[in-house]
Amino acid sequence: MLRATPAAVLGLASGRTPVDGYAEMQRLHAAGQMDWSRASTFNLDEFAGIDGGHPGSFRTFMEDHLFAGVNLRPERIHFLDGAAADLDAECDRYEEAIAAAGGIDLQILGIGSNGHIGFNEPGDDPSRVPHEALSMGTGTILHARRIVLVATGGKKAECIRQSVSGRITTRVPASMLQVHPDVELLLDEEAAALIGRT
Ligand code: GLP
């Protein structure tokens, strides 16, 4: 993406799944094959109640796994601020920043084993969700021009089946990706094993 579109606006996800991909991006950068100097990034989500410097924040996670090893300009790295006094206003600010950047060209997504994307949890699953977090909404995710969802391992097989082969429902937030015209799934064999089963 960055080779074809050096000024791309990338939506990034945290979680274990994209870590190997981020390591590869750092490697390509170190080898002089990936220039991030004109790119912008917007991360999907962040915990509420902690600031970006907190060791448990997604911001710190991204610093460790990607940002420290590429030449992104700090002012082009965008994150929801979990320590903002007014969380609604913070979400509005983020939406406006995405729009001002021209929208997201490529959104990278992981998936939770219950089908969640970002922190968009199933409508009927309140007990298992984090207490409070900020997230791009499903609508914002669907506005990305292109989406790549990455999933690995057998624990993701059932939610991938439901997302790909099931009906579109808020009970499986990733199923809503079916309405998007340009979604690519990067799956290992275990995660793909149940696709097509009913
Ligand atoms: C968290 C994040 C999601 C992520 C999911 C899966 O809940 N908010 O954005 O996709 O975990 O994480 P993992 O990749 O570690 O399985």
Side-chain angles (χ1 to χ4, degrees):
M1 181 87 195
L2 287 181
R3 282 185 205 147
T5 315
V9 179
L10 303 175
L12 301 178
S14 42
R16 284 180 309 276
T17 309
V19 163
D20 288 349
Y22 293 150
E24 176 66 6
M25 291 175 196
Q26 289 184 321
R27 195 192 64 74
L28 287 171
H29 174 66
Q33 293 169 24
M34 205 172 189
D35 175 19
W36 294 70
S37 62
R38 295 174 60 202
S40 305
T41 65
F42 287 86
N43 262 80
L44 263 181
D45 48 17
E46 182 57 285
F47 295 112
I50 57 174
D51 71 30
H54 188 283
S57 72
F58 283 156
R59 170 91 198 209
T60 298
F61 178 94
M62 291 302 300
E63 291 288 346
D64 293 347
H65 290 283
L66 180 66
F67 300 155
V70 298
N71 61 333
L72 267 166
R73 287 170 58 173
E75 68 273 20
R76 296 218 181 107
I77 295 174
H78 302 274
F79 242 94
L80 285 153
D81 177 9
D86 181 340
L87 297 180
D88 287 335
E90 174 59 7
C91 292
D92 290 342
R93 178 197 67 79
Y94 207 57
E95 294 286 339
E96 284 160 21
I98 291 170
I104 292 173
D105 294 309
L106 169 64
Q107 176 68 54
I108 296 170
L109 289 178
I111 183 170
S113 51
N114 63 357
H116 75 242
I117 47 176
F119 274 123
N120 300 287
E121 298 283 345
D124 60 353
D125 200 9
S127 60
R128 294 171 57 199
V129 306
H131 186 55
E132 226 184 348
L134 304 181
S135 178
M136 280 188 209
T138 308
T140 304
I141 293 169
L142 290 174
H143 272 107
R145 284 182 265 281
R146 202 180 139 202
I147 297 174
V148 173
L149 185 147
V150 189
T152 56
K155 280 191 191 142
K156 302 288 172 75
E158 177 57 18
C159 66
I160 289 293
R161 182 191 72 78
Q162 290 180 20
S163 303
V164 175
S165 312
R167 65 188 179 88
I168 298 171
T169 166
T170 54
R171 286 168 178 257
V172 184
S175 67
M176 289 184 266
L177 299 174
Q178 290 178 31
V179 304
H180 193 283
D182 192 354
V183 179
E184 193 176 339
L185 301 184
L186 294 183
L187 309 172
D188 66 3
E189 278 189 33
E190 287 86 358
L194 300 179
I195 289 177
R197 306 247 180 108
T198 49

